[in-house]
Every structure is written in C-alpha cells, then in structure tokens.
Amino acid sequence: MKELKYVGKSLVREDSYDKATGKTIYVGDMKRTDMLYAKLVLSEKAHADIEIDRSEAMLVEGIEAIYTHEDVPKVFYNSAEWYPGIKGIRDELILNNRARFVGDRIALVVGSSKETVEKAISKLKIIYKELKPVIGLKQARKDEVIIKENTNLAFSKSINVGNYEEALKKADYVIKDIGTTPKVHHAAIEPHVCLAEFDYQGNLVICTPCQVATQVQMHVANVLNIPLNKVRTVKAVMGGSFGGKSQPILEPIVAFAAWKLNRAVLLYMDRTDVITGTVSRNATEIAVETAVNKEGKILGRKVEVRVDGGAYNTNASNVTMALGKKLYRLYDIPNQTFEGKAYYTNTLPGGTCRGYGSPQGHAVTEVNIDNIAKKLNMDPCEFRLLNLVDEGAKDLTGAPEIGNAKIKECVKVGMEAFNWKEKRDTIKNKSADRYAYGVGMACGTHGNGYKGAYPDFTNVDMRIYADEGAIVKIGVHDLGCGTITTLKQIAAETLDINMEKIRITEADTFVTPYDSAGTQASRVTYVCGGAIKEAGKKLKAKLINAFCKLKNVPIENVETANGYIYDKNSTEEHTYGDIVTEYEKHFSESMSISLEYKSPANPASFAAFFAEVKVDKYTGLVDVIDCLAVHDIGRAINPMLVEGQIQGGAQFGLGMALYEQMKINKNGDVKSNSFSKYHIINSTSMPKVKIILIEDNEPYGPYGAKSVGEMATVAPAPAIINAINFALDTNITTFPATPEVIVNEILKKGI
Amino acid sequence: MIIKLMVNDKMVERDVDPTKRLLDFLREDLNLTGTKEGCSEGECGACTVIVNDKAVASCCVLVGQVNGDNILTIEGLEKNGELDIIQKAFIEKGAIQCGFCTPGMIMSCKALLMKNPKPTVDEIKRSIEGNLCRCTGYTKIIEAVQQIVEERCNNE
Ligand code: FES
Ligand code: FES
C-alpha cells in the first residue's frame, strides 16, 4: 500500500490554538447589540399542576417578557426525533402547566441582563397543586399512579433468535444475574446554552452547540409553524455534549422568544438547571440468564431489560432497542431472547448518552459472563475467547454484518500486555487485612452509524480553489472530539493537498448540504469520513482528467504531490490551482463535485478493558491502580485523538462503575443537583489508561477506520466491577458500586 | 465603588458593584470571555484565574475582594505573540478536546509551575484536582505538564 501522508498521523488540532488562548467563542460568550437574556423556570415538584402569578415579576425593571404555558404554541413533539420519518410518541411541549418531573419547564423569563432575569424569577409566585409522583421502575410498573393516559408502560418489544427454551434444556448450567444501572448526568463542562436571532436574510437563526442541526431546524419550524427553509441552525462551538446536547431542549423555546420579540435572545442554564432540566442516561434494571454447557459454550441467553424512560417518551423505544440489539453482536449465541420494556416515571427524561444503551446492556451481561466462567472454573478471558464473535460474523437478528471483528485479538493481546494470567493467579496474595486487590476485565461492542435502522447518508460538496486550497462542505458537528481534524486528514490524503489548505464546514442548515442523521450513533468518521474519501477520490480523478485534456498527457503518466500535478516525463510542474483556472477558462466548468454518499455497511467496533483495583474493605473505597484498553478500531486516522477518546471514555466508564448516579428521592427531588453532590472523576482518582489499538482495516471504513468515541465508554465499567468482585469474592451487579454498596456486600458476606 | 486592579499587566479602574463576582467582572465588564463558568460553586475550576500568584475560582470571589490585586487570566498568557509553554504543551500533547475546561486547567497548571517549576506527577494531579474535565480523562493534560518538566530537566 502506498505510504499515507496524513492518515495515521497524530496531527495537532487546528482549533486547539484558540482554545488554549481563550479566544474561542462559545455560545455563552456571544453578545449582540440589544441582546436579551433568558432563563427557564423549572418545576420544583415532580408531579403537579402549576399556576404562576407573574404580576410582581413583570414589574422588575428590564423584564421584557415572561412566558408560561398559556403564551406558547401547544404543539406536541418528541425531541428525540431527528427527521420527520420517525413517528415517535409526541408528548413534549415547550412549556408545561403540568410538571412531570423536578426540572420540567414551566416558564421562561426574558430580560435585559442575567441579573434582571434572576431577580424576576425570584419574584414569581408559583402555586403547585401536587399529584402523587411515580419514582423508580418498581412504582412505575404497579400502575397505581399513572403519569399519562392509561399505563406507565411506554414501550415494549422483544427480539428472538433461535429458541432459548430449547437451549435451556440442553444446558449443564444456567447462570442468572440481576443488576441495575443508574441515571447518569452527561456533565459536559459547558452548561446548555443557545442563542436565537434573525439574520439579514430573514432567517430565524438558532446558534447552538448541537449534534444534529437539522433536528433543531425541524423542531423549531414545527413548533412555531414556520417553513423549514426559514429556520437556520448554525452549529456553534461545542463545550462537550456526550449526547446531552443531542436532543433540542432549549432551542424551540428560545426560538419562540426571539421570534415573538424580534430580538436576539440568549438562553442560558446554570449547572443545577442542566442536571435537573435536561436529560440523563436512562437507568435500567437488567435480568440475565445464560445457558451454557460444561465445555464452556454459551447455548442461549435471555435478557430482560426495564428502562426508566423518565417523564416524556423521548428515546424510550430507541434506547431500549439499541441496548437489545448490541447483545447480539459480541458473543456467538445461537439462541437469544431479549425483552425490553420502558416505563414513564416522574423523573427527568432519558436522552442519548455516550454509548447509547451499550454501557447499560454490557454492564450486567459482562458481570454475568464472569459469573459463568467462575461457575465453570474457567479463566474469564478463556471463557470469552470460546464465545466471542469471529471476523465476518453475521448478526443473527438480521442487522448489518458485524464486519472485521477483532475482539478475540483484543482479548489475547490484552491478556499478554496486562500480564493477565499471572496477575489473576497472584494478585490476591497482595490482599491483607484492610485492602483487597483484584483484576478484572470486560468486553463491549458498539456500532458505526444507522444503516439497518434509519436512513444513513450524507451529502458533500467539495471544491478546489484557484490557489490550491480546498473547501469541503458537509453538515458535520465537531463535539469536541476533533472531528474536523480527522476529516481533514482524510480529505488531505485523498486530494493530496496540504492539510492547512483544506477547510471543512460544520453544519449550518442554510448553507451546508443535507446530512441524514447528524453527529450521533458513532457515524461521523465512518460515514461522513467515507463520504469525504469518496468525494475526494472523484474530485482528484476530475482534476487529473482535466490535466490530461489540457496538457494532452496520457493518464498513466500523471502524478501528484502536495497540490502539484505533473507529467512524470516532463519537468514542467503545475499547481492544482493552475489547472483549476485553465479548466474553467477552456471548459467552462468548476473543479468541484457534489455527491450523496450512502453508508455501505454498519460493522461493529469492539474493545476489551482490563483493570486492577484496590478495595478498602473498611471504607468501601476503590482505587483503580492500573488499566488497559484494547480497541479494535480498524484504523486510527489520528492516533492522538483516538487515545483522547479512549481515555475520556474510560473516565466516563469509571464514573459509572464507582461514583456517578443521579440521586432522586421518593418525592422526585434531585439530591445530586450540583457538582458538589454529583461526583465526576477528577485528576487524582483517574488512573492512567494504557492503550493498544488493533488496526486491521475495516473494509468499508475510510482508510479502514471505524468508530471509537462511544465504544470507549462501554467496557470499563463492567471490567472494574468484575475486578472488585474478584477481589472480594462478591457478586456486585449494582452500578455504581459506591462505598455503601461495597460495604453492604462485605457485611453480607462477613468478609 | 471604584475598583483598581491589574489585569494581565494592565491597570484597570472601574466603578462597579463590589459584590459582583470576579468572574462576571472579567467576562462582562472587561469582555475577557476566555474564563468560563461551569458550576458557579467552586467545584469545576472552569473559572480559574490567578490572583497574586495563586489559582482561584473566580466564581467564588467578589471583585471587591481583589481590589488592588494582580490578576492573570488565560488571555494574558501569550506574550508578544508567543504562547506560554503550557499552552504549547497542551496543544502538542492533544490535551484539549472541547476546550471548555482548558482555560481554567491551564491557569491551574500555570500557578503550579510558577511556584514549583518541576512538579512530580502527584503534584500535577493535585494542582488540577479542582478542575473537572469530562473529555480527556486527564491523561494528556498531565502528560503535557510532565513534558515541560522533562524538558526543563533535560536542559539543565
Ligand atoms: S464555575 Fe467556578 S468553579 Fe465552576
Ligand atoms: S476538554 Fe472538554 S472538558 Fe476538558
């Protein structure tokens, strides 16, 4: 293979200069002449009818408007839908007169400054007529109090492959586990924020750190009943999302205010607003039973999942099914039944969150896998190696093929590098009175886009300019991961133009070509990167053709290098720009191309995560001493950025394993409503994550690449729990394993 | 109240409400929006600036409390078009993802290196324990500072 110049290199991100100097303008930093500030008023009760007396608040100097339910359009929508073809259950309104969770939107206050707005909020008289709240899955299932219509059951579906009941009959052992995973706050350090204004062309502009600009456009146009092509969503710099800014939460309401007032309005949230008033990872209860024979082969598995969907439908069906489908893509299980149910509760709605169902699904099933190995007296890695999918495996549910699956290699390489066998055999010798040591591991899988489930294509316009520079117009969203740099590397490689000479757009619905599904579902490098590679290939062919025609050179003699094109038998050199201009002059055509790229496949990405822990038996505190992530990534376009994803993903996973959960009491009050009460891992509790990348070329990925960002957050949590269970000889299946959980388990066992 | 203080080596004199948070004073009155707000309660470190050589959370300080003091913000690190060594290391090492924690993170590292030019890994970790980053897992941030220390040791 020709040596690559850009792909595979740890190149520095262009945007990091401005970020390192504080010059980058995030939406919260934006100012407009005559701009107004707005803040939402969020319900303090989980379930209540609301009356608001705003008379006194309106008297605050500088207050422009206070909107409540009565003032806004009553158009129901489902914020999780990203194109009109998804006909979900539409039960959200931009402002409510019945609150269904603590944090539900009940009013919007708009004024000349933040101070003014906050002063007015403190003067609002809110009368809550409380209803009984439904908190937690157990209460939801009882259907004694019903949140909407006639049942709290929001969704129910199963997936069946083979015949689990038959498998049970043949099994030597059946290993059962029940576990729970928490609601997790995304905790992007940038709080949600959004600016709406009119531009000189009459567009209602929504400037927002979003993941799917067309989704914002669709909801705003729908709620305000204005044409789609008059709503312009501009993707702003993103101060972190992880799925939390994927569903439009602020956009429809701030658009309404700007539209009503014909002024620029900036809607901001503080941390408590973000924790209580946006979305969270869905909490789950998972029951798994696995039938195995004594040789160590999984014969069948049944997984029942109950998802806490929160107060609105949002992604209840999608996340439940996404969770279920992943369970068919990691192990070769001929008979498997998945039953998924989602319920409404009076807690904040579920939303997309890094890994989308995979972290929850794999959490409990990976602990179960360890328990099977234990039962069979096998090493958990060896047991996995007997059952993990192979290269070219089919997804038995009929979903797209699994692709070049290298998970077995991940496990083998990881065992070696982590010194697994020896550690597993000897680590417990280190345990003394107070401290118990253990090692554990887990595997996980995630996808590469939507193919097989939803339309997955993107449009791209690419042009080479007269000065050799190129522009790539595509509707992507850099969420902070360095997407633009990655995509530039792909463009530079295919066009053979210096990276500094390439510019790539982010989504702007008035300007950039259509993209079917936005920056979610781990689809950008794989699908949008694939599109850029395809466009680059075609554009370069066009350039070469033009050169041949203009200079009368046979195509086999043409060579390019860094924006130069030449006949290898001649000393004459031409810049791409020369050819672009000459071509325009003689053939009346531009050096550009537009294409629509349909994702050709949806393979699985994989990872194995190994961890060593030290558990303080007195306090229940866990120290992760060492960890290793081995990723089947196809090819790393930019290894430095890939490592950043894996390290950040591990931090997310460690949080889910040990600390992070939204604490909601029986009244629905959110106890963990600030960073002092919701702990994300800081520098002193984060171990260094060692990384090994398995790069074995995913056939349809651009230069062989596949996804990593979401994948990285799947395996760490169960690996840590497995390590704790090994250290203590327990069977913890509760995530997170907080000190309380661990101490209880220790007391129960009397160790 | 008339407040006089040095901000990034420039004398600033303003008539402001002394109970205004330093963070708001910087962002709103001086338009220094590099300093960020992530939690408003001293927990995330996004608002970190250096006051008289010490890293402080500017969301927890009132401008009246820093009257006469010397303030350094992220905007003041670049000198004559040359980035600070920490800024360079962050960029080269890939320590910046979404960048929202970055200004505060860099200011905490700056304060550390001002008093301790060759910190150990533990000291680096401790100096940024009040700076939350959700993107990086801290590894590359710590490595960036380590790289500076290593270079310093090699140059001796
Ligand atoms: S905003 Fe000051 S510490 Fe978070
Ligand atoms: S880079 Fe995003 S929070 Fe640190």
Side-chain angles (χ1 to χ4, degrees), chain A residues 692-714:
Chain A
I692 299 176
L693 302 179
I694 307 291
E695 296 184 80
D696 192 57
N697 188 48
E698 187 60 49
Y700 294 104
Y703 296 98
K706 57 184 168 184
S707 72
V708 65
E710 294 195 84
M711 180 61 251
T713 205
V714 180

Side-chain angles (χ1 to χ4, degrees), chain B residues 23 36-48 57-60 130:
Chain B
L23 174 64
K36 301 297 182 214
E37 179 165 12
C39 73
S40 330
E41 56 161 352
E43 287 287 331
C44 78
C47 65
T48 306
S58 64
C59 70
C60 297

Side-chain angles (χ1 to χ4, degrees), chain B residues 19-91:
Chain B
T19 65
K20 189 171 208 165
R21 300 182 306 170
L22 175 59
L23 174 64
D24 298 328
F25 178 72
L26 293 170
R27 288 179 54 85
E28 288 162 17
D29 296 54
L30 306 185
N31 207 22
L32 295 171
T33 55
T35 305
K36 301 297 182 214
E37 179 165 12
C39 73
S40 330
E41 56 161 352
E43 287 287 331
C44 78
C47 65
T48 306
V49 298
I50 294 178
V51 179
N52 303 338
D53 297 347
K54 271 173 79 179
V56 303
S58 64
C59 70
C60 297
V61 176
L62 306 179
V63 67
Q65 294 173 298
V66 293
N67 197 3
D69 286 349
N70 196 345
I71 318 277
L72 182 60
T73 73
I74 189 72
E75 290 90 346
L77 287 189
E78 198 175 341
K79 291 268 172 335
N80 309 320
E82 171 106 18
L83 296 188
D84 187 271
I85 175 171
I86 304 171
Q87 292 172 312
K88 281 191 207 159
F90 266 58
I91 293 167

Side-chain angles (χ1 to χ4, degrees), chain A residues 455-587:
Chain A
D456 197 351
F457 62 90
T458 197
N459 289 269
V460 48
D461 292 348
M462 197 182 273
R463 166 186 305 276
I464 304 176
Y465 286 118
D467 64 357
E468 294 83 69
I471 185 153
V472 182
K473 291 191 183 169
I474 187 164
V476 295
H477 316 65
D478 196 324
L479 307 184
C481 321
T483 297
I484 293 296
T485 306
T486 306
L487 296 180
K488 262 190 196 177
Q489 286 176 255
I490 294 172
E493 195 67 62
T494 43
L495 291 171
D496 202 358
I497 294 181
N498 230 315
M499 236 175 100
E500 290 81 67
K501 294 204 151 198
I502 294 174
R503 307 216 56 215
I504 299 187
T505 56
E506 289 195 62
D508 175 337
T509 58
F510 198 52
V511 178
T512 51
Y514 184 67
D515 174 74
S516 72
T519 301
Q520 52 180 356
S522 286
R523 66 184 283 275
V524 174
T525 302
Y526 187 77
V527 181
C528 301
I532 288 177
K533 187 176 177 213
E534 182 78 9
K537 212 168 84 188
K538 294 214 160 115
L539 185 55
K540 181 137 174 248
K542 183 170 174 178
L543 179 84
I544 290 174
N545 248 315
F547 177 76
C548 293
K549 278 201 221 164
L550 287 164
K551 307 289 171 194
N552 222 348
V553 178
I555 195 158
E556 56 279 10
N557 288 1
V558 182
E559 278 181 5
T560 62
N562 282 339
Y564 285 90
I565 183 161
Y566 49 90
D567 173 353
K568 66 179 177 201
N569 300 325
S570 146
T571 52
E572 224 178 289
E573 258 191 357
H574 304 270
T575 65
Y576 284 9
D578 294 342
I579 304 304
V580 169
T581 307
E582 279 186 54
Y583 188 62
E584 181 167 347
K585 195 164 167 183
H586 296 289
F587 292 94

Side-chain angles (χ1 to χ4, degrees), chain A residues 189 239, chain B residues 95-102 105 132-136 141:
Chain A
I189 306 300
Chain B
I96 302 171
Q97 288 192 29
C98 81
F100 206 78
C101 72
T102 306
M105 199 63 93
L132 299 178
C133 173
R134 189 56 152 175
C135 299
T136 64
I141 293 170

